[in-house]
Amino acid sequence: MKIVFCGKGGVGKSTVSKIYAEKLSNSKKTLLISIDQDHSLSVIFNKNIGNDITEIKENLYAIEIDAKSISKDYINDVKKSISEFLSKKAFGEFENYSKILLDSSIAINTSIIYGIYKIPKNFEIFIIDTPPSYQFTSFLRTLFNLRKNLEIILKIYENWKNISENWANKKLKSYEKLKEKERIAIEVEKFFRDAQYYIVLNPNKLIIDLSLNLKFFLENLNLNFSGFILNKYNNQDINLENVIDKIEILENL
């Protein structure tokens, strides 16, 4: 089972993720994954977690994926892949550009994809704590476009192979790397398509509106939207009828 908690920043996604992870770990081996680069699991659990899978207690583990560290390795890998195509001058220009690319949303998102791919799949429950909704939607766009873009590039490789077998043999190593990236993209895309998505929100009109927009976005991607979780409710006299359905109230979090 895979459960994704998403929503606007500051609504309590990490707290909700912790509560559900602790509850589910009572009966199943559970891994809590933070893909928000402003990680808060270490603070919530009062334990240094970081980029390695860390045992919190029996049956409960956590990891805070360090996208910037992975991004450096990824960009170095890209440099090796393209060095055989580019002139010395062009490669130098790319190196300068890669310094800017390192902190780009595409590099961060792609690094998170690779981080998730490397996680062992021998857990029964995966719970994903996400960044604020605008960053999370950017991540999903990167994820679902990555495989499509790799398919196009691989078709170009195959067409070149038909034109020049000799050229293709020289570029075989690069082709195999692209095929590997395609396999990674397919596996991680399936991981997120198999997940159940819950939107965490507060009883605030702006947050409710943003949450409904996020619900629409998830449904447009044909992802499994499973409901809203109303956090920090405190029994306020607020009428949410006809605004939110499938809602679970977590009081006094």
Side-chain angles (χ1 to χ4, degrees), residues 117-167:
Y117 173 76
K118 292 176 181 177
I119 289 174
K121 303 305 185 288
N122 60 335
F123 293 88
E124 297 172 273
I125 304 287
F126 295 89
I127 293 180
I128 300 91
D129 178 27
T130 65
S133 51
Y134 72 95
Q135 293 176 354
F136 182 53
T137 54
S138 169
F139 167 76
L140 290 176
R141 288 191 183 98
T142 300
L143 173 61
F144 296 137
N145 286 331
L146 180 60
R147 178 179 54 81
K148 295 175 185 177
N149 293 338
L150 286 168
E151 283 178 359
I152 293 170
I153 295 170
L154 285 165
K155 283 180 182 177
I156 293 172
Y157 263 79
E158 288 161 5
N159 289 336
W160 283 340
K161 181 178 179 180
N162 293 332
I163 296 170
S164 173
E165 187 71 31
N166 182 51
W167 185 95

Side-chain angles (χ1 to χ4, degrees), residues 14 18 22 44 65 74 88 102 129 146 162-163 203:
S14 297
K18 173 185 182 287
E22 288 180 327
I44 289 174
I65 293 178
Y74 174 75
K88 187 175 180 180
L102 188 61
D129 178 27
L146 180 60
N162 293 332
I163 296 170

Side-chain angles (χ1 to χ4, degrees), residues 5 19 24 28 36-37 42-43 51 54 97 103 119 126 153 160 186 194 216 223 236 246 251 253:
F5 291 111
I19 290 171
L24 292 170
K28 297 182 183 295
D36 183 354
Q37 295 310 289
S42 291
V43 175
N51 199 39
T54 303
Y97 172 67
D103 290 321
I119 289 174
F126 295 89
I153 295 170
W160 283 340
I186 290 170
D194 290 344
F216 179 74
L223 297 174
Q236 295 178 34
K246 297 181 183 177
E251 297 183 1
L253 296 183

Side-chain angles (χ1 to χ4, degrees), residues 3-243:
I3 302 172
V4 176
F5 291 111
C6 51
K8 186 180 180 299
V11 294
K13 296 185 297 295
S14 297
T15 304
V16 171
S17 298
K18 173 185 182 287
I19 290 171
Y20 272 75
E22 288 180 327
K23 180 178 180 180
L24 292 170
S25 69
N26 289 333
S27 58
K28 297 182 183 295
K29 188 178 180 182
T30 302
L31 177 63
L32 175 52
I33 305 168
S34 171
I35 63 172
D36 183 354
Q37 295 310 289
D38 292 323
H39 299 293
S40 55
L41 295 186
S42 291
V43 175
I44 289 174
F45 284 109
N46 193 26
K47 190 179 184 72
N48 186 21
I49 295 174
N51 199 39
D52 295 316
I53 292 176
T54 303
E55 184 175 9
I56 305 299
K57 64 175 187 176
E58 185 179 3
N59 263 353
L60 178 58
Y61 300 80
I63 182 172
E64 297 173 324
I65 293 178
D66 182 359
K68 286 196 175 182
S69 173
I70 299 170
S71 184
K72 288 179 182 177
D73 294 337
Y74 174 75
I75 289 175
N76 287 335
D77 188 46
V78 170
K79 287 179 185 177
K80 291 177 184 177
S81 297
I82 66 173
S83 61
E84 57 187 290
F85 296 99
L86 301 180
S87 66
K88 187 175 180 180
K89 180 181 177 182
F91 184 75
E93 290 174 353
F94 177 80
E95 281 206 294
N96 291 331
Y97 172 67
S98 69
K99 295 174 185 176
I100 301 171
L101 184 65
L102 188 61
D103 290 321
S104 71
S105 60
I106 292 177
I108 295 296
N109 292 337
T110 305
S111 299
I112 293 170
I113 292 169
Y114 279 85
I116 291 170
Y117 173 76
K118 292 176 181 177
I119 289 174
K121 303 305 185 288
N122 60 335
F123 293 88
E124 297 172 273
I125 304 287
F126 295 89
I127 293 180
I128 300 91
D129 178 27
T130 65
S133 51
Y134 72 95
Q135 293 176 354
F136 182 53
T137 54
S138 169
F139 167 76
L140 290 176
R141 288 191 183 98
T142 300
L143 173 61
F144 296 137
N145 286 331
L146 180 60
R147 178 179 54 81
K148 295 175 185 177
N149 293 338
L150 286 168
E151 283 178 359
I152 293 170
I153 295 170
L154 285 165
K155 283 180 182 177
I156 293 172
Y157 263 79
E158 288 161 5
N159 289 336
W160 283 340
K161 181 178 179 180
N162 293 332
I163 296 170
S164 173
E165 187 71 31
N166 182 51
W167 185 95
N169 288 334
K170 290 181 180 179
K171 309 305 178 187
L172 183 59
K173 186 177 179 181
S174 296
Y175 179 80
E176 289 173 347
K177 284 185 177 180
L178 285 171
K179 287 296 290 183
E180 181 186 4
K181 287 177 171 55
E182 183 186 43
R183 287 192 294 272
I184 291 170
I186 290 170
E187 182 172 321
V188 178
E189 180 177 333
K190 184 178 186 305
F191 181 93
F192 279 90
R193 287 206 178 278
D194 290 344
Q196 300 172 20
Y197 291 77
Y198 289 89
I199 297 175
V200 182
L201 72 163
N202 298 160
N204 172 285
K205 187 179 185 306
L206 174 61
I207 293 176
I208 289 170
D209 289 342
L210 292 172
S211 298
L212 291 172
N213 288 338
L214 179 56
K215 174 180 181 284
F216 179 74
F217 176 83
L218 295 174
E219 291 177 335
N220 270 355
L221 289 177
N222 295 316
L223 297 174
N224 303 315
F225 171 72
S226 299
F228 296 95
I229 293 179
L230 182 59
N231 189 15
K232 300 179 182 175
Y233 182 62
N234 295 327
N235 295 317
Q236 295 178 34
D237 184 17
I238 182 169
N239 182 14
L240 298 171
E241 195 174 331
N242 300 322
V243 178

